[in-house]
Amino acid sequence: MLLIPAACLALGLSACADGAGDNAAGGAAPETAVGQGAREGSGEGAAAAPSEPATSPRTPTPETSTPPPVPLPATQRERAASLLMAPVVNFEDALYKLNAGVGGIFIPSWADPALLTEPGRDLHALRQMVGRPFDISIDFEGGRVQRFTKVFGAFPTPRQMGTEGPEAVRRYGFQIGQALLSRGVSVDFAPVLDIDGQGLDVVGDRAFSTDPHEAAALGVQFAAGLEDAGVDSVFKHYPGHGRASGDTHLGPAVTPPLGEVMGFDAVPFAEATAAEPRSAMMVGHMVVPGLGDGVTPSSLNSHAYGLLRNVHGFDGLVYTDDLTGMKAITDIYAPADAVVAAIAAGADVALWSAEMDINYVIDRVDAAVTEGRINRHRFDAAVMRVAEQLHAQ
């Protein structure tokens, strides 16, 4: 059962969800425009899963009484760039965008596999050449959503994993984490915590369960396996896509009203973040009636981030879902406008998959901060979270 703070009950749920939790002045209103984007593809090939080693590469480090301050990018423009997770298709593209200052790169399914396998021109080489911390992300859930399986191996669907029990789910997460880390990937946009609540095809066997508590428990095990292997996990798609009216890849999708979402769809996120605080969060593009204006997609809705921060008490890193590959966003927002609106609303990292001029996007975010469309407190909080994430590697 989801526990709502007493103050929220006294003031009303909408009061606690009002605005991003780290935004003292509230999020800026999104700018509306029309844009186009590309939809993510599917995984390919098949290979055997790697075996689990006796020890985990991620070991706790002793805490110090006065930890050194986390270094931040020097200029506002560099800080704006650090909040961007840009897609890359080959080594040159990745190097160019990293040299522009982005905080992370995303490997879509159409990227050149040589980026993962060619010595001297792979992700490991990028880390040596760039000389600063940055994240490298991918979608790898198992089943329908697993990229470059000829490189990483092939794994069962989350639903199939769940039938083998919690220990097996954690083992699969660990094996996937090993495979990703060996090639240089540091962030996996998994696991799915959506509940397969009404047979929606876009969720289906990507969900661990039709039961919110079981979905949370199994998602926690998968995330813990990734984290133990040294790869950062990301719970998705907050506040829950399983009972939405459709697929956000294809167009707008509306969930049940906010009260119903809080009592069912959001339950796995509340339970999982309490049980596995190392995980980050991805906010989806669903519209939630009763949340803010009831028409803005959650990923661009300051009230959704307020719900996450103020009601669920989540203080970790928050990503958007793909802002250029899903028609729930691209039908109403130009790509760069969506990036600005997402950060203004409360996202720490804006993720997209279609090609954009990276310097143009950085300039747009930088200008939005200067002009006050992205609240300064909101911006500084996001920059600090990203810096802490990167320097914890």
Side-chain angles (χ1 to χ4, degrees):
M1 180 177 181
L2 180 63
L3 298 178
I4 300 174
C8 297
L9 293 173
L11 296 173
L13 183 59
S14 61
C16 288
D18 187 11
D22 54 17
N23 184 353
E31 299 175 358
T32 301
V34 178
Q36 299 296 325
R39 183 178 178 182
E40 259 285 39
S42 61
E44 54 278 86
S51 60
E52 179 177 354
T55 59
S56 165
R58 176 172 289 186
T59 56
T61 54
E63 293 187 11
T64 59
S65 57
T66 55
V70 175
L72 300 176
T75 69
Q76 178 178 290
R77 188 178 188 278
E78 290 170 340
R79 295 180 182 191
S82 76
L83 306 185
L84 306 180
M85 180 71 75
V88 298
V89 295
N90 55 39
F91 184 82
E92 288 78 15
D93 186 32
L95 185 59
Y96 177 77
K97 288 170 180 173
L98 287 167
N99 284 336
V102 297
I105 56 175
F106 173 61
I107 313 296
S109 58
W110 52 86
D112 183 355
L115 187 56
L116 303 171
T117 60
E118 186 177 348
R121 291 173 55 80
D122 61 3
L123 300 179
H124 296 299
L126 280 173
R127 292 199 184 279
Q128 293 177 351
M129 295 179 67
V130 173
R132 64 171 174 84
F134 58 89
D135 269 324
I136 301 173
S137 64
I138 199 167
D139 278 320
F140 204 106
E141 304 166 8
R144 285 185 281 162
V145 181
Q146 51 184 338
R147 317 302 185 196
F148 304 100
T149 53
K150 291 181 179 179
V151 177
F152 296 123
F155 295 82
T157 67
R159 181 66 53 81
Q160 291 170 321
M161 293 180 194
T163 64
E164 298 182 36
E167 292 183 0
V169 172
R170 186 163 187 155
R171 183 171 63 251
Y172 281 125
F174 190 87
Q175 291 172 347
I176 290 171
Q178 281 185 285
L180 297 179
L181 189 67
S182 71
R183 299 291 181 172
V185 176
S186 59
V187 177
D188 185 8
F189 292 126
V192 167
L193 292 187
D194 302 323
I195 307 159
D196 185 18
Q198 61 183 28
L200 195 63
D201 183 62
V202 70
V203 178
D205 59 7
R206 296 172 66 194
F208 284 103
S209 179
T210 59
D211 177 80
H213 307 293
E214 184 177 38
L218 294 174
V220 163
Q221 292 303 314
F222 187 93
L226 287 174
E227 296 283 346
D228 290 345
V231 170
D232 293 313
S233 58
V234 182
F235 294 136
K236 63 182 186 184
H237 307 80
Y238 183 83
H241 196 306
R243 295 192 297 161
S245 61
D247 180 351
T248 53
H249 291 91
L250 305 178
V254 182
T255 71
L258 178 59
E260 294 183 32
V261 167
M262 292 294 286
F264 186 79
D265 306 85
V267 169
F269 297 92
E271 294 183 356
T273 54
E276 181 45 270
R278 294 176 292 181
S279 287
M281 185 73 70
M282 175 182 284
V283 175
H285 301 321
M286 304 77 66
V287 171
V288 181
L291 187 59
D293 60 11
V295 298
T296 301
S298 295
S299 57
L300 308 181
N301 185 343
S302 64
H303 297 263
Y305 295 96
L307 188 72
L308 180 59
R309 300 293 191 195
N310 300 333
V311 175
H312 292 129
F314 183 74
D315 194 37
L317 196 66
V318 180
Y319 296 85
T320 68
D321 203 346
D322 181 1
L323 293 168
T324 63
M326 304 174 78
K327 289 175 69 64
I329 300 298
T330 60
D331 280 354
I332 53 176
Y333 290 89
D337 291 338
V339 171
V340 170
I343 296 172
D348 298 319
V349 181
L351 164 71
W352 70 94
S353 66
E355 181 56 33
M356 287 196 282
D357 181 337
I358 192 59
N359 285 298
Y360 173 73
V361 180
I362 296 170
D363 287 341
R364 288 293 304 277
V365 176
D366 182 26
V369 177
T370 298
E371 296 163 7
R373 289 182 290 121
I374 296 177
N375 173 268
R376 177 75 61 174
H377 176 75
R378 150 95 284 270
F379 178 72
D380 289 345
V383 169
M384 179 58 72
R385 284 198 189 95
V386 170
E388 289 174 344
Q389 164 88 354
L390 294 179
H391 287 276
Q393 293 179 4

